[in-house]
Amino acid sequence: MKKRYSDGIVPELAQTARADIASQLRAARLSSNLTQQNLAELCGTKKSNISRMESGKYNPSLDFLIKVADSLGMELSIKVG
């Protein structure tokens, strides 16, 4: 993963957001009865990208998150608070 922070340490808020997003996407994938491979094919990406995203070790672009959400029949939204 590219370092986006000068000290290489991901702030806690970003780690929490990644974990929340990863958890929601994994739950959505499982409720749709899709494997990581199935979802990767729907998104036009590799299974490893789905796996890394679900583990929170991947910092996906906004466009990629939108594509994954759309492939799951979902919308991407941001909640404040």
Side-chain angles (χ1 to χ4, degrees), residues 11-23:
E12 185 176 338
L13 180 60
Q15 289 177 348
T16 301
R18 283 184 193 172
D20 289 346
I21 290 168
S23 176

Side-chain angles (χ1 to χ4, degrees), residues 10-81:
V10 179
E12 185 176 338
L13 180 60
Q15 289 177 348
T16 301
R18 283 184 193 172
D20 289 346
I21 290 168
S23 176
Q24 290 177 43
L25 290 173
R26 183 174 188 271
R29 177 182 62 78
L30 292 173
S31 71
S32 297
N33 294 315
L34 293 172
T35 64
Q36 289 181 344
Q37 182 64 42
N38 298 145
L39 181 56
E41 290 169 3
L42 290 171
C43 295
T45 192
K46 296 179 182 178
K47 177 187 171 283
S48 60
N49 290 335
I50 301 299
S51 176
R52 289 185 317 147
M53 184 178 57
E54 288 185 0
S55 73
K57 295 178 181 169
Y58 177 56
N59 190 11
S61 69
L62 179 58
D63 289 343
F64 184 69
L65 286 173
I66 292 168
K67 185 186 286 190
V68 172
D70 184 58
S71 296
L72 290 166
M74 302 174 72
E75 282 186 7
L76 187 66
S77 66
I78 299 172
K79 294 181 184 179
V80 178

Side-chain angles (χ1 to χ4, degrees), residues 2-11 13-15 18 59:
K2 294 180 189 174
K3 291 185 180 178
R4 293 183 182 235
Y5 305 98
S6 59
D7 59 5
I9 299 172
V10 179
L13 180 60
Q15 289 177 348
R18 283 184 193 172
N59 190 11

